[in-house]
Amino acid sequence: MDRIRIVGGHRLNGTIPISGAKNAALPLMISSLLTGETLVLENVPNLADVALLTRILANHGVDVTLEGKRKSAKPATGQTLRINAAEIVDTTAPYDLVSRMRASFWVLGPLLARCGEARVSLPGGCAIGTRPVDLHLMGLEALGADIAIDNGYVVASAKDGLKGAHITFEKVSVGATHNVMMAATMAKGETVMENAAREPEVVDVAECLQKMGARISGAGTDTIRILGVDRLIGARHAVLPDRIETGTYAMAVAATGGSVHLAGAQPRLLEAALDVLRSAGVEISETNDGITVSRNGAGLRPVDVETAPFPGFPTDLQAQLMALMLKADGTSTIAEKIFENRFMHVGELARLGADISLDGDTATVRGTEHLKGAPVMATDLRASVSLVIAALVSEGETMVNRVYHLDRGFERLEEKLTACGADIVRLSG
Ligand code: EPZ
């Protein structure tokens, strides 16, 4: 199993290209199930989750091929995938695949819309909480699906097709919004989704679905309206930049000091996180093609932050902010309001000398001068990268074990950080 060795104490200076967003690329790939024509996705990050979803889609009969390099492509552009679901040969998404990546549960809505049936394994619990799927099922039932749970599988059918409905989600769910939005594109009549997720990735998927012929309005607000159409067509779409990767590197630079240009980043995708960094004393400037993050000399002020659905501070940056606040001149509080158990990094950060106490959903983080490298264990994707940030500002060597979590969501992490002066290497085997 690969490990990553980091020797802390180096400032970061240079440029980091921001990749396409994992959390948009996955539902965009899934939306290919809605059409028999080819969907071409550009700027897809080369990640373990993308490879796994390729296998899951292949099991339904979908061809996913890598488009060759083009002369016009910019050097930092991610991979281009040509995805074709001409014939769906299997409407079952099996446990061994779905249990490895929750987002694959989102094939349920598109399979139902296209084939009138689907059998998709329940994803099960995961490291960051129980993560139920009741909102997905409620939304699809409202569209007329018959749903039963059998042997750990959701067995859904809509023999006469799905029908538009007025759906109010009692809680904001990114996944349920994606799942129901995709299904509703081919339901008869109008669907209105209230209390829908407003995340930029939902907007990106809606824009791609519009290119495919779907009639969607209101994506990015809490009310999305969809007028069903008979069929969707092929399209070409570029995945938006990854706001979580952007925020992660911004926090890494804020922690080490230095100045890094995050090329291709879009500040409007992470205003809440940038505001928190500014209030901590980090300089953020917006350029023509990205964001420059600098901290030179000045100390870091502590912050009090709660995670919230977009446009609030993202749960996917909570662990990274906690690592940053280990270096603040004072005590910060960070409340996790989205997932009930997203603090696995706390115990690992403590191994580096962090002083963090937990009370319910709130972590109290006391800044310290003395972080010292140690062996640590990656637990989930964002927790793992918080360990990388903490290691960059710890004295001596940190060995991060189980880095396959990082490979799920951070493209070329060591390469990007090394280019900016970090001492970080991957040790294979
Ligand atoms: C998406 O997960 C993201 N995943 C997560 O990113 C992200 O943390 C999360 O949204 C919140 O922003 C992808 O986009 C692939 P939710 P999702 O449904 O859709 C509860 C990462 O690190 N809920 O918005 O699964 C749920 O338990 C990942 O990249 C229900 O109660 O999250 C949670 O408390 C991790 N019933 C809250 O809603 C449901 O049916 C929000 O979850 C669904 C969700």
Side-chain angles (χ1 to χ4, degrees):
M1 247 189 280
D2 288 4
R3 295 171 297 161
I4 286 182
R5 188 183 65 210
I6 299 167
V7 178
H10 300 275
R11 293 160 78 81
L12 295 174
N13 284 291
T15 297
I16 294 181
I18 296 303
S19 298
K22 167 184 84 83
N23 287 350
L26 300 176
L28 284 166
M29 289 174 72
I30 289 172
S31 69
S32 68
L33 289 165
L34 289 163
T35 175
E37 298 183 14
T38 302
L39 176 65
V40 182
L41 294 178
E42 298 172 359
N43 200 31
V44 178
N46 190 358
L47 297 170
D49 272 7
V50 167
L52 180 57
L53 183 57
T54 298
R55 280 182 53 203
I56 292 167
L57 291 174
N59 183 59
H60 296 300
V62 181
D63 292 334
V64 183
T65 50
L66 192 59
E67 188 173 276
K69 192 171 173 177
R70 298 289 183 265
K71 273 189 177 160
S72 55
K74 293 188 218 116
T77 307
Q79 51 186 350
T80 298
L81 299 182
R82 300 181 67 83
I83 310 180
N84 185 281
E87 192 188 354
I88 293 181
V89 298
D90 190 339
T91 52
T92 296
Y95 175 71
D96 60 326
L97 294 175
V98 179
S99 59
R100 290 168 61 186
M101 185 177 60
R102 277 189 63 88
S104 56
F105 184 74
W106 307 349
V107 300
L108 180 63
L111 285 174
L112 252 180
R114 172 102 180 264
C115 309
E117 60 170 41
R119 191 167 163 270
V120 178
S121 168
L122 284 163
C126 75
I128 61 177
T130 50
R131 298 177 83 183
V133 291
D134 55 321
L135 299 170
H136 300 240
L137 303 186
M138 178 281 290
L140 295 172
E141 275 178 334
L143 294 180
D146 287 320
I147 292 184
I149 308 291
D150 181 36
N151 280 333
Y153 280 75
V154 174
V155 183
S157 67
K159 290 293 171 230
D160 301 323
L162 297 171
K163 292 183 189 61
H166 198 119
I167 299 163
T168 303
F169 294 105
E170 70 182 39
K171 187 171 182 177
V172 177
S173 162
V174 174
T177 303
H178 280 306
N179 214 339
V180 176
M181 178 168 75
M182 288 190 275
T185 56
M186 295 214 292
K188 281 191 196 74
E190 190 185 44
T191 297
V192 180
M193 295 199 288
E194 290 198 63
N195 203 23
R198 290 182 280 167
E199 268 64 4
E201 293 74 22
V202 169
V203 179
D204 204 39
V205 172
E207 284 174 1
C208 178
L209 290 169
Q210 283 166 339
K211 291 177 191 167
M212 293 164 72
R215 297 182 62 188
I216 302 176
S217 61
T221 74
D222 61 6
T223 306
I224 302 179
R225 289 172 191 277
I226 302 151
L227 198 56
V229 294
D230 290 340
R231 62 185 284 272
L232 295 184
I233 56 172
R236 191 171 189 106
H237 183 81
V239 179
L240 91 171
D242 196 316
R243 65 194 166 100
I244 304 303
E245 188 195 28
T246 305
T248 300
Y249 289 123
M251 288 179 198
V253 183
T256 63
S259 182
V260 171
H261 182 57
L262 302 172
Q266 287 182 14
R268 65 177 177 86
L269 303 179
L270 69 161
E271 285 302 345
L274 296 179
D275 284 348
V276 168
L277 288 176
R278 284 191 191 98
S279 69
V282 180
E283 282 172 45
I284 313 269
S285 54
E286 297 176 13
T287 66
N288 282 346
D289 75 326
I291 305 174
T292 299
V293 181
S294 318
R295 187 171 70 83
N296 291 304
L300 275 170
R301 288 190 289 270
V303 295
D304 297 308
V305 171
E306 288 195 345
T307 61
F310 191 84
F313 187 91
T315 171
D316 290 349
L317 285 174
Q318 179 258 109
Q320 297 90 316
L321 179 67
M322 198 176 295
L324 171 62
M325 284 302 127
L326 297 177
K327 296 298 291 176
D329 305 322
T331 300
S332 304
T333 60
I334 302 177
E336 172 55 55
K337 298 288 183 188
I338 306 290
F339 293 110
E340 73 269 27
N341 182 27
R342 206 173 194 182
F343 283 133
M344 289 85 57
H345 42 286
V346 170
E348 296 299 307
L349 290 171
R351 295 179 51 76
L352 302 175
D355 180 358
I356 304 171
S357 48
L358 286 178
D359 182 10
D361 64 9
T362 303
T364 301
V365 185
R366 291 169 206 85
T368 170
E369 288 294 310
H370 308 290
L371 293 174
K372 200 155 177 226
V376 289
M377 189 97 75
T379 46
D380 82 36
L381 172 55
R382 312 303 176 185
S384 316
V385 85
S386 80
L387 301 176
V388 171
I389 294 175
L392 290 172
V393 291
S394 295
E395 187 194 323
E397 178 182 298
T398 296
M399 192 71 79
V400 183
N401 295 293
R402 296 201 184 163
V403 298
Y404 53 84
H405 289 290
L406 281 171
D407 296 335
R408 292 188 46 208
F410 289 93
E411 195 181 29
R412 297 184 287 114
L413 175 98
E414 312 92 87
E415 193 185 312
K416 290 184 184 189
L417 286 170
T418 303
C420 291
D423 184 345
I424 173 169
V425 285
R426 177 182 292 252
L427 306 173
S428 299

